[in-house]
Amino acid sequence: MRNMLAIADKELRSYFASPMAYIVIGLFSLLFGWFFYMYLMVFVRQSEQMMAMGGGAAANVNQSMIRGVLQNAAVVILFVMPMITMRTYSEEKRSGTIELLLTSPVTDWQIILGKFFGAIGLYVAMLFVTALYMAILFVYGHPEWRPIAAGYLGLLLMGGCFISAGLFISSLTKNQIVAGTITFAVFLMLWVISWIGESSGPITREVVSYLSITEHFEDFARGIVDTKHVIYYLSFITFGLFLTAKSVDSERWRG
Amino acid sequence: MIDVQHITKRYGRVTAVDDVSFRVERGEILGFLGPNGAGKTTTMRILTGYMPPSEGRAAIAGFDTFDQPIEAKRRTGYLPETPPLYPDMTVREYLDFVGRIKGVPPKQRKDRVAEVMQRVHITDMAARHCAKLSKGYRQRVGIAQALIHNPDVLILDEPTAGLDPKQIIETRELIRSLAGDHTIVLSTHILPEVSQTCQRVVIINKGRVVAVDTPQNLIARLKGAETMFVQVDAGSEDAAVALERVPGVTRVTVSEQPGVAGGYEVESDRGVDVRRELARAVVTRGWGLLELRPMRMSLEEVFLQVTTEEKPEEATRA
Ligand SMILES: Nc1ncnc2c1ncn2[C@@H]1O[C@H](COP(=O)(O)OP(=O)(O)O)[C@@H](O)[C@H]1O
Ligand SMILES: [Mg+2]
């Protein structure tokens, strides 16, 4: 535990020591802010129209606005996450600091989990900035907080999957640009795969939508926490970390 | 303290280390001498638990580097060929981090960091980022991180490579001052380096141990003599005496090559060609000269490849 924290701490500090963390957070907040603004405008117009048509039920901000924002955020995350994970292992291999880690009295798993939670730390900082936008809604209105919390839990788990897959890909090469590119391509595939599902037969659709990381986020965005999806995400994360451990170990044998 | 038994390491089809065994006693400085590609780094990586050997085993303080890696690593400090620094950390942050993962207790860490910085004279650089350090300072920070947890064993891979002459002298002095408290293995491809810092030398070439001896003996073996192999069809006593009388010959030993009768190894002063005289000595006594050839020991082969002289400005003082 102590060792894992030492490594997580080191990872987190190295993100913030380079411009990368600020670029990632800045870019993400900017895009998130833009989606937030667009959906807010649409929502306001809808509400005005309904009022003009003679009262009726006020539009539900959770369903008509936050859901859309979160779904778009999920896609943005898919784009920025490779920038976070690409250097985790690659850079240590390139610079030779991996020799320091692997000859220290720490286990492979402590290193892997340290790197995983370090990246999660940066990701949480990203999400925290977006939570400030959400706070605006609470100042001017009365959205339900539970669906929002569910949405954020979903974002956290989904991001965890991206990080664990990114960690694995980074452990395969000492070139961080290669790692970043492959990671991006894989994430894109995991996202695009859901479109293939839509235009094919029922069984394929089932399988494909099960594989698509973003598909599992749908319910979270709607504000529903379904254990089915939680388990899917947690299994995905575990599997990614397990592959990373295998990759580190086989590298050790090959030299 | 260090026990290496029959380790072999293969990278695919390349055998980088081939059946290497040696022991290092507590407090000793052992030099690992060999040309580039001899397998020095590979051996050290196995000793430090970075990679397992394909065959054989290595133990640090009785702990197998593969079966009990955590225990073995706790007792080992390692300076890889390139110091493993994080460019965006300051020297102090870096040493503190290394202390953390090497298991230095939190309360002692600040003091330990200050201590090792003083020990290798980098206290002035404490707040500097590792990326901005000169080659000499990088190397010192590398040694400092190897010392941070006060390990029993220090493994230093080419600690003076790429340094300027003054830094080389300082580094060697530092290493000598660390002996006693630590058991040290250092690798080098420079012959004078081992004679100045090490008590014992393992010479390695193409993955195999060629010789293990004190630096003095090795240098004597190198400089002292040229060796001829002579085979004669005569009684051994007489022949040995006769060969020894030849001017320039310093020593004659009966060859231990199996299945060879009447073979002698004749050592002579370097630069004196005794072949003609040896042949005359044999023939004038009426014996048959079956063979006469210079012996090139594999040890010499290695010495031909390692750097046997430092550039004049390098060696002047140390
Ligand atoms: N990771 C590796 N993969 C394949 N071959 C390697 C690897 N590392 C070293 N070698 C080979 O093993 C041999 C020994 O290398 P090394 O241990 O680095 O020697 P030294 O440190 O004495 O220069 C060399 O022939 C080298 O090319
Ligand atoms: Mg080497």
Side-chain angles (χ1 to χ4, degrees), chain A residues 37-167:
Chain A
Y37 178 76
M38 297 301 282
Y39 277 91
L40 188 63
M41 285 302 119
V42 171
F43 174 69
V44 168
R45 207 168 306 133
Q46 275 178 358
S47 306
E48 277 170 2
Q49 276 171 1
M50 278 163 118
M51 300 257 270
M53 280 168 13
N60 181 336
V61 67
N62 285 91
Q63 284 310 318
S64 51
M65 177 195 165
I66 296 174
R67 182 178 164 195
V69 172
L70 290 180
Q71 276 168 343
N72 280 287
V75 176
V76 178
I77 288 166
L78 185 151
F79 278 84
V80 296
M81 207 55 116
M83 288 197 257
I84 297 182
T85 59
M86 64 185 190
R87 45 190 287 288
T88 43
Y89 266 97
S90 305
E91 186 57 17
E92 305 245 22
K93 284 165 90 165
R94 191 198 58 78
S95 74
T97 47
I98 192 76
E99 264 191 275
L100 169 65
L101 296 184
L102 294 187
T103 57
S104 292
V106 296
T107 63
D108 287 356
W109 274 105
Q110 286 166 343
I111 298 172
I112 292 166
L113 289 175
K115 285 180 172 293
F116 177 74
F117 284 113
I120 290 277
L122 176 60
Y123 181 52
V124 167
M126 272 165 60
L127 293 183
F128 181 77
V129 176
T130 69
L132 297 178
Y133 289 102
M134 291 293 179
I136 297 171
L137 295 179
F138 283 90
V139 173
Y140 294 103
H142 304 282
E144 287 180 64
W145 68 269
R146 278 170 202 280
I148 298 182
Y152 271 85
L153 175 67
L155 283 183
L156 190 65
L157 286 168
M158 188 191 65
C161 292
F162 287 145
I163 290 173
S164 117
L167 212 56

Side-chain angles (χ1 to χ4, degrees), chain A residues 254-255, chain B residues 11 14 16 35-43 45 81 157-158:
Chain A
R254 273 183 289 122
Chain B
Y11 297 109
V14 180
N36 282 328
K40 304 184 292 293
T41 299
T42 303
T43 308
R45 284 179 162 177
E81 224 161 355
D157 197 355
E158 310 228 6

Side-chain angles (χ1 to χ4, degrees), chain A residues 188-200 205 208-216 218:
Chain A
L188 212 57
M189 233 170 59
L190 288 174
W191 178 46
V192 167
I193 207 172
S194 58
W195 301 347
I196 303 168
E198 279 164 22
S199 58
S200 54
R205 187 180 310 166
V208 160
S209 78
Y210 187 76
L211 286 178
S212 167
I213 294 187
T214 43
E215 279 288 301
H216 291 265
E218 287 296 309

